[in-house]
Amino acid sequence: MMKKRGKTLVAAVLMMGLLSACGGGNGGTTANGGGEPSASQGAGGGSGDGQSINLRLYTYGTEEAYNWNHTLRAYEESHPGIKIELVQLSEKGDTQEAFKKLDLEAASSAQMDILMFSDPAGYAQRVALGMAEPLDEFIAKDGFKVEEDYKVDTRLNGKVYALPGKFNPWYVLLNKNHLEEAGLEVPADWTWAEFADYAKKLTQGEGASKRYGTYFHGPQAGGWMEYLKLMMENQPENADFLKADGLSNLDDPNFRKTLELRVRMEKEDKSSVPYTDMISQKLAYRTQFFNESASMLLIGSWMNTEIGGTDKVPLNFNVAVAPFPKNNPEDETGLTPVTTDYVAVAAKSKHKREAYDFVRWYTTEGQIVQGKNIPAWNQVGSEQVQGIIDTILSGTKNPEKVDKKSLVDTLMVSKASAIIPPASYQSEVYEAINEEYEKLILGNQDIEATIRNSQERVAKIIESNQK
């Protein structure tokens, strides 16, 4: 499947390259004000006559979010003779705009050395294009294993093409005031059964003023599908609707258990915000939690910058954080959906060793220097995480209302399941499952029919795409 998908993308990228009139490196804003090579670079990105080696770093990350000036200066000071030229592919951090410009650059004669991908789909697709260099030989010489040194395993088809930068796991935000009122502790390790029990105990009132135990966002129009595979996502392998070979994973018992959990909590316990309310009122997860309409929220830790309250969404209660729930008490704690940056060496770089050295530094010590995100590097201790969290929360309105210990403890135990390379037809699969789920949650079919119909529709999608 990877080869088939790769050929299609190659054709698209080459066409874009032709449309860009054989562009030569003007895809984004660079540190020196344009797409031309810097003076120290020379035509080939460096020379053997003692000049500095210039490495071009392509990123969607903004200065505000990534602290690039400080970070790259720190690297250059500790690595004499290396200059890092920043190519910002989007001034607003728009990942889709960045991917389009990156593909145009790849189809041109532009010098490329270091690449950043924002999600596993974008990473896997560009590996299929041959855009990223395998890093296994460099890693072997350095003597570490990605799955041991990092919280995110970035292997695709048995090879490593990128190392993970930031670490944004999903977690559970809790209204600590509501917990105390209900006599409930902040969980450090819990199951979905316990999560459902908490939600039931936290639910209060009736009608328009009712407070629900939790809010599950989405998955309207095929988005936010995390909420339809809750009990699949904390498995070390096969945590999605499709397996690594592109075949269906809907016979996984935890798909059924997720549907049963969602139906029980909404229809029987009445502890989660009704799907009909979410659709008809166009509810937003931030306001549901911060307006205290829901006591718990499953969400990604990109919320770290907001949980202390902002001008737009103020915080009027105390907040705590708990790990993503697990299926059984004996299961591994902390497996959760994770977002990260995939930092790669460009296959066409003429300085692959130097580019790799930067990638390794940036995804380890560089994350601490940057000070904007929790690193995926396992060697970062709780004190360092605490320091980064202190910095992040200091930018919010009421950091004193956040239970920092529960936040740090949760981030320290969180880890990602193995990446499943997205199939080219994944969006079709998501749409089909979403449509069948809506029939279920709106009372138009039962769980048996939902699973059967989902399996049949996904099987047809797979078959039509694999011919």
Side-chain angles (χ1 to χ4, degrees), residues 107-263:
S108 76
S109 58
Q111 178 195 338
M112 307 180 83
D113 299 291
I114 302 152
L115 313 174
M116 279 182 63
F117 308 122
S118 59
D119 58 72
Y123 168 46
Q125 288 169 348
R126 282 150 189 86
V127 166
L129 283 169
M131 200 180 290
E133 180 76 9
L135 303 181
D136 301 85
E137 289 187 11
F138 296 123
I139 291 169
K141 288 179 181 177
D142 277 3
F144 70 91
K145 294 181 179 179
V146 171
E147 65 272 25
E148 294 176 358
D149 240 33
Y150 295 92
K151 294 177 183 290
V152 181
D153 187 345
T154 56
R155 287 175 295 185
L156 290 173
N157 299 326
K159 291 187 176 182
V160 177
Y161 295 89
L163 297 179
K166 68 185 180 186
F167 181 69
N168 280 345
W170 278 52
Y171 51 29
V172 183
L173 294 180
L174 305 128
N175 185 313
K176 198 172 181 182
N177 294 21
H178 292 174
L179 290 183
E180 291 172 355
E181 291 169 8
L184 298 171
E185 298 291 327
V186 176
D189 184 18
W190 57 343
T191 63
W192 285 111
E194 291 168 321
F195 175 86
D197 183 58
Y198 266 55
K200 194 172 181 179
K201 291 175 178 176
L202 289 165
T203 300
Q204 287 187 1
E206 295 294 338
S209 61
K210 180 174 181 177
R211 186 187 83 199
Y212 290 91
T214 194
Y215 173 79
F216 294 113
H217 193 55
Q220 312 99 307
W224 293 91
M225 296 298 285
E226 289 86 356
Y227 294 99
L228 291 190
K229 47 185 174 177
L230 294 173
M231 298 182 74
M232 301 171 73
E233 288 170 321
N234 47 18
Q235 302 176 139
E237 305 285 341
N238 294 325
D240 209 330
F241 299 126
L242 297 176
K243 298 178 182 178
D245 58 8
L247 298 180
S248 175
N249 193 33
L250 295 183
D251 59 352
D252 188 319
N254 286 322
F255 175 53
R256 174 188 294 274
K257 290 179 181 179
T258 297
L259 297 181
E260 291 172 345
L261 177 75
R262 292 295 308 273
V263 169

Side-chain angles (χ1 to χ4, degrees), residues 178-459:
H178 292 174
L179 290 183
E180 291 172 355
E181 291 169 8
L184 298 171
E185 298 291 327
V186 176
D189 184 18
W190 57 343
T191 63
W192 285 111
E194 291 168 321
F195 175 86
D197 183 58
Y198 266 55
K200 194 172 181 179
K201 291 175 178 176
L202 289 165
T203 300
Q204 287 187 1
E206 295 294 338
S209 61
K210 180 174 181 177
R211 186 187 83 199
Y212 290 91
T214 194
Y215 173 79
F216 294 113
H217 193 55
Q220 312 99 307
W224 293 91
M225 296 298 285
E226 289 86 356
Y227 294 99
L228 291 190
K229 47 185 174 177
L230 294 173
M231 298 182 74
M232 301 171 73
E233 288 170 321
N234 47 18
Q235 302 176 139
E237 305 285 341
N238 294 325
D240 209 330
F241 299 126
L242 297 176
K243 298 178 182 178
D245 58 8
L247 298 180
S248 175
N249 193 33
L250 295 183
D251 59 352
D252 188 319
N254 286 322
F255 175 53
R256 174 188 294 274
K257 290 179 181 179
T258 297
L259 297 181
E260 291 172 345
L261 177 75
R262 292 295 308 273
V263 169
R264 183 174 73 251
M265 292 183 69
E266 179 170 331
K267 305 297 185 183
E268 298 174 22
D269 298 347
K270 301 186 185 303
S271 61
S272 65
V273 177
Y275 189 78
T276 51
D277 288 2
M278 183 178 61
I279 298 297
S280 63
Q281 299 175 34
K282 298 181 180 179
L283 299 178
Y285 65 83
R286 285 178 176 85
T287 51
Q288 284 294 293
F289 182 70
F290 286 103
N291 289 352
E292 301 191 74
S293 298
S295 300
M296 300 191 297
L297 177 66
L298 278 157
I299 201 67
S301 57
W302 57 79
M303 290 296 292
N304 287 347
T305 59
E306 301 178 44
I307 57 176
T310 63
D311 289 329
K312 290 184 178 179
V313 187
L315 176 64
N316 299 309
F317 54 90
N318 294 316
V319 174
V321 183
F324 201 74
K326 57 189 185 182
N327 298 331
N328 305 296
E330 65 274 13
D331 290 348
E332 185 177 6
T333 300
L335 280 169
T336 179
V338 166
T339 57
T340 188
D341 295 316
Y342 299 86
V343 192
V345 173
K348 67 179 188 177
S349 172
K350 295 180 180 179
H351 303 287
K352 292 185 176 67
R353 177 73 226 190
E354 290 83 359
Y356 164 78
D357 287 342
F358 173 81
V359 169
R360 175 61 171 164
W361 176 88
Y362 175 73
T363 59
T364 55
E365 301 167 47
Q367 289 294 291
I368 301 170
V369 171
Q370 199 168 55
K372 284 289 188 177
N373 296 287
I374 303 303
W377 188 34
N378 269 327
Q379 302 304 313
V380 175
S382 60
E383 289 186 6
Q384 291 167 311
V385 171
Q386 178 74 62
I388 295 171
I389 288 297
D390 285 342
T391 300
I392 293 172
L393 291 179
S394 68
T396 65
K397 303 294 287 185
N398 295 103
E400 75 281 356
K401 292 184 179 294
V402 178
D403 182 342
K404 288 191 285 189
K405 184 180 186 306
S406 68
L407 174 56
V408 171
D409 289 348
T410 294
L411 294 171
M412 291 300 295
V413 300
S414 298
K415 58 184 75 69
S417 55
I419 293 175
I420 300 174
S424 58
Y425 45 86
Q426 186 156 292
S427 61
E428 297 176 66
V429 169
Y430 281 1
E431 184 176 359
I433 295 172
N434 178 64
E435 289 174 355
E436 295 304 321
Y437 170 74
E438 285 196 334
K439 295 175 188 175
L440 167 67
I441 206 66
L442 295 176
N444 297 322
Q445 68 184 12
D446 61 16
I447 287 177
E448 292 299 329
T450 301
I451 294 173
R452 182 177 64 252
N453 294 341
S454 296
Q455 289 175 333
E456 290 175 356
R457 291 182 64 179
V458 168

